[in-house]
Amino acid sequence: MNHTPSDAEQTSTAASAAPSVPEPRLRVDGLTVRFGGLTALDDVSFEVGRGEVVALIGPNGAGKTTVFNAISGLVRRAAGDMRIDGAPAPARPTGLVGRRVARTLQGLGLFDSMSVLENVLVPLEARSGAGGRGRRGDAAEQASGCLGRLGIAHLAAVPVAALPYPERKRVALARALVTDPDLLLLDEPAGGLGEEDIDTLAEVVREVAASGCSVLLVEHHVDFVMGVADRIVVLDFGRVIACGTPDEVRADPRVEEAYLGIEPAA
Amino acid sequence: MDRLLFLLATGLARGAIFALFALALVLIWRAARVVNFAQGAMAVVAVYVAFAVTGLTGSYWIGLASALVAGGLMGLVVERGVMRFASHASPLSGVIIAIGVVMVLQSALGIAFGSNTRPMEAPFSESPIVIGGVPVLSPYDLFVLILAVGLMGVLALLFTRTSLGLQLRASAFAPEVSRLLGVRVTRMVTAGWVLASAVGALAALLLVPTELGLNPHSADMLFVSAFTVAVVGGLDSPPGALIGGLAVGVLISLVTGYLGATVAPIAVLVLLVAVLLVRPGGLFATTEARTA
C-alpha cells in the first residue's frame, strides 16, 4: 500500500541524519520488497538531497541493488513510497528517463554489437521517440560532447565489445550522463577499476554533484565511498542499520560488525 | 558451361526471394524471440490482397504497394492480437500459437477464395535474356534481384542510420536494459513484426508468379526453404539470411538442373542437417545475442 505524502512526512527521516531539505530529490519511505517468502527489503527509508552524493553500502545480499531495482520500476514493492522531486517514482522503467533519472548497471548492460557512440545515443533517441530526426543532428553532438567529457571521444566509432573493461565502464557512465539527469543511480561504478580510474571516477561524481545532479551509488570500494559520499546508508539483511556522514558510519560499531566483519568490543 | 551460368543466375534470383523471407523470420526472432511459423500464411493473405487490387486497378504496382501495406497490417494484427499474449516462459507457446494462426488463415482463405490455384502474371517477361548465345536471367529475375537488393539496402540504412533502427537493435539485443534507457520495447516489438511481415509479403508476391500460381498454400515451401536459410545463416544474423538465402537458392537451382527437381528438397534438408551438426547456431551466428 502506498503512503500519501502526508503519511510520508510523518513517518520519514527515521534513517536520515542529514539536515532536512524541503523537497529532496529522492525520498524512499518504508520501502518493503518481497520475493515470495523472502523479504529482500524491510521498511527501508532514506533521502537524497539535491546535489548530494549518497552511498548505499552493505554486505552482499543486503538489498542494495534491490533498492535500485525498486526505484527503477524493475521490481514491485510490497509497501512503502518512493518520490522523485515530490512526485511518485515511475512504476515502469521506461518512465525513468522522462523523470530525468539515469542508471548504470553492475553488469554494464552495454550493447556489444553497437559502437560507443551508438550506445550513448540510445537514451537520447528513445527520448525523442521512434520517429525522431536522424542521428546526425543535435543528439550526436550531445553524445559526442558527453564522450569528450569522459575522455573517450576518440573511441566513438569503436564497437564496445572491443574495449577493455575500464573504457566499457566509462561508456556506461557516459550513457547515463548523456541525458543530463537530475538523479543518477550508479551500481558499483568503481568495481573492477584500478586506482587511477577510481580517482577519475570520483572527480566525475563530484563534478556531477556540483552541477546539481543528485547521486545515489551502490559500492563496495570503501575508500571510494568514504571519499566521495556526503552521506552513507548502510543496509544489512534488507534493513537500514546506520545512516550518516562517512565519519559517523565509520565509527558505528554495528557497521563494523555487519559490513567490515569486526566484532564489537565487549 | 552455359547451363551452369543459367542455373547460377536463376538460383541467385530465387535465392534473393529466400533471403528476403528469411530476413523476415530473423527480424521477428530478434524482436520477439519467436520463430514465426505463420509467416507464410500471413504473406499469402497479403498476396491475395495484391491479387485483388491488381485485378481491380489493372496495375501491378498498386498491387505490390497494397501487398506491403497488407503484410504490415497482418504483422500488426497478429502481434497485437495474438502473439503478445504468448507466454515467454517457453518458446513452444509462441510456436503453437503461430501454427494456430496458420490454420485459421489458410482455412479463411480457402473459405473466401477457394482452394483453386489462380495464375498470377509477372510484370516482366520470364523468358531468359540471351547474351552471347547464353541464356541468363529473365527480365523478371532481374527485377526480383534489383528489388531484393534494393530493399535490403533500405533495411540496412534503416537499422544503421535511423532512430527507429537504433531502438529496434537495442530492444532486440537487451530489452530490459533498453527499457531503463527509455526505449518503448513493446512498440519496438510491434514495429519489428510490421516490418518483417511487410518484407515477407513482398517475398511471397515475388515468388508466386514463378510458381504454379496463387492458392492458400502458395508460401508453404517458401517458408520451409527460408526457415532452412534462417537456421543455416543463424537466426540472429541478417547478413546470414542474405548469404544463406543466395546459397540455398543456388543449391536448389543446381541440384534441380543437374539431378532433378525431386532431389532439391533432399539437398536442402542435407544442408540443414549438416549445418546443425557442425555449427548449431548457424554459419553466421555471432556473439550478438540477447542478454537480458
Side-chain angles (χ1 to χ4, degrees):
Chain A
M1 187 187 87
N2 292 348
H3 294 226
T4 63
S6 57
D7 291 336
E9 283 163 15
Q10 289 166 16
T11 57
S12 69
T13 71
S16 173
S20 65
V21 180
E23 196 65 79
R25 183 76 74 201
L26 171 68
R27 174 179 291 171
V28 175
D29 191 9
L31 176 63
T32 300
V33 173
R34 296 194 184 92
F35 299 121
L38 174 74
T39 301
L41 295 175
D42 186 7
D43 195 28
V44 169
S45 299
F46 64 90
E47 292 179 0
V48 182
R50 290 161 192 269
E52 190 180 27
V53 180
V54 174
L56 272 177
I57 67 170
N60 286 330
K64 306 181 293 294
T65 297
T66 305
V67 172
F68 271 28
N69 288 341
I71 296 169
S72 308
L74 289 176
V75 298
R76 294 185 68 179
R77 57 184 187 265
D81 189 30
M82 292 181 294
R83 289 180 177 269
I84 298 168
D85 289 325
R92 294 170 188 272
T94 42
L96 282 182
V97 173
R99 296 292 300 280
R100 301 182 69 89
V101 179
R103 174 185 174 173
T104 64
L105 298 158
Q106 258 181 53
L108 303 187
L110 295 175
F111 304 113
D112 279 350
S113 60
M114 293 186 191
S115 70
V116 168
L117 181 65
E118 286 177 326
N119 266 272
V120 178
L121 277 169
V122 169
L124 291 175
E125 297 292 3
R127 193 168 62 180
S128 67
R133 59 173 172 260
R135 301 210 313 271
R136 291 176 182 166
D138 294 343
E141 268 183 39
Q142 198 175 335
S144 297
C146 188
L147 293 177
R149 185 178 167 194
L150 293 173
I152 50 173
H154 61 292
L155 300 175
V158 178
V160 290
L163 294 177
Y165 190 70
E167 271 69 33
R168 289 170 63 82
K169 293 213 81 155
R170 288 191 194 212
V171 176
L173 186 58
R175 196 174 63 179
L177 288 174
V178 74
T179 52
D180 196 18
D182 286 337
L183 175 61
L184 182 61
L185 308 176
L186 299 176
D187 201 345
E188 301 202 13
L193 296 182
E195 289 306 314
E196 195 176 324
D197 287 315
I198 289 176
D199 290 344
T200 307
L201 174 66
E203 275 177 38
V204 171
V205 170
R206 286 190 201 100
E207 277 175 25
V208 166
S211 71
C213 174
S214 307
V215 180
L216 177 63
L217 56 92
V218 165
E219 186 53 68
H220 284 292
H221 195 289
V222 175
D223 290 342
F224 171 73
V225 168
M226 295 297 172
V228 82
D230 297 311
R231 284 189 306 118
I232 297 173
V233 178
V234 187
L235 289 175
D236 191 24
F237 291 111
R239 297 185 66 90
V240 174
I241 60 167
C243 180
T245 65
D247 286 340
E248 288 169 346
V249 166
R250 201 195 309 260
D252 192 318
R254 290 170 302 175
V255 178
E256 288 186 340
E257 183 187 2
Y259 187 51
L260 303 177
I262 300 169
E263 291 292 333
Chain B
M1 188 64 186
D2 295 359
R3 191 179 187 192
L4 177 66
L5 279 177
F6 174 73
L7 291 174
L8 283 175
T10 52
L12 285 176
R14 179 62 62 90
I17 295 175
F18 294 160
L20 275 183
F21 204 83
L23 189 61
L25 292 172
V26 167
L27 288 176
I28 289 181
W29 171 258
R30 282 163 63 97
R33 275 331 193 232
V34 169
V35 176
N36 183 19
F37 280 83
Q39 189 79 64
M42 291 163 65
V44 168
V45 171
V47 177
Y48 267 101
V49 170
F51 181 79
V53 170
T54 300
L56 285 172
T57 63
S59 166
Y60 174 84
W61 306 106
I62 297 175
L64 186 147
S66 66
L68 286 172
V69 172
L73 281 174
M74 281 302 298
L76 178 74
V77 169
V78 169
E79 193 278 324
R80 291 264 167 154
V82 187
M83 297 306 294
R84 178 166 291 193
F85 305 105
S87 165
H88 296 288
S90 161
L92 260 186
S93 58
V95 171
I96 291 167
I97 290 175
I99 291 171
V101 170
V102 172
M103 295 170 79
V104 169
L105 290 179
Q106 289 186 337
S107 301
L109 285 173
I111 292 166
F113 299 101
S115 57
N116 295 339
T117 298
R118 296 156 188 260
M120 245 184 124
E121 292 288 321
F124 301 103
S125 166
E126 293 184 74
S127 302
I129 303 167
V130 179
I131 300 174
V134 178
V136 283
L137 288 172
S138 71
Y140 183 68
D141 287 339
L142 197 59
F143 163 70
V144 167
L145 264 177
I146 291 170
L147 195 60
V149 171
L151 182 63
M152 287 176 192
V154 168
L155 287 173
L157 286 176
L158 171 78
F159 278 102
T160 56
R161 303 283 177 198
T162 70
S163 175
L164 175 63
L166 185 73
Q167 293 180 71
L168 281 167
R169 286 160 62 204
S171 57
F173 186 76
E176 213 54 71
V177 174
S178 299
R179 285 191 181 94
L180 285 169
L181 298 173
V183 177
R184 308 262 174 193
V185 172
T186 316
R187 286 186 197 174
M188 292 303 121
V189 171
T190 305
W193 272 83
V194 169
L195 194 62
S197 300
V199 171
L202 179 65
L205 181 70
L206 293 174
L207 178 79
V208 168
T210 68
E211 301 283 330
L212 294 174
L214 179 60
N215 67 57
H217 298 275
S218 286
D220 287 0
M221 279 315 294
L222 173 61
F223 173 82
V224 172
S225 300
F227 179 65
T228 304
V229 167
V231 173
V232 166
L235 270 170
D236 260 312
S237 171
L242 171 62
I243 298 168
L246 295 177
V248 169
V250 168
L251 176 73
I252 289 176
S253 179
L254 291 177
V255 171
T256 303
Y258 288 113
L259 301 175
T262 50
V263 188
I266 298 170
V268 171
L269 284 175
V270 168
L271 174 69
L272 177 64
V273 171
V275 169
L276 286 176
L277 284 174
V278 176
R279 196 169 159 85
L283 295 178
F284 299 90
T286 64
T287 52
E288 184 183 338
R290 179 176 285 200
T291 57

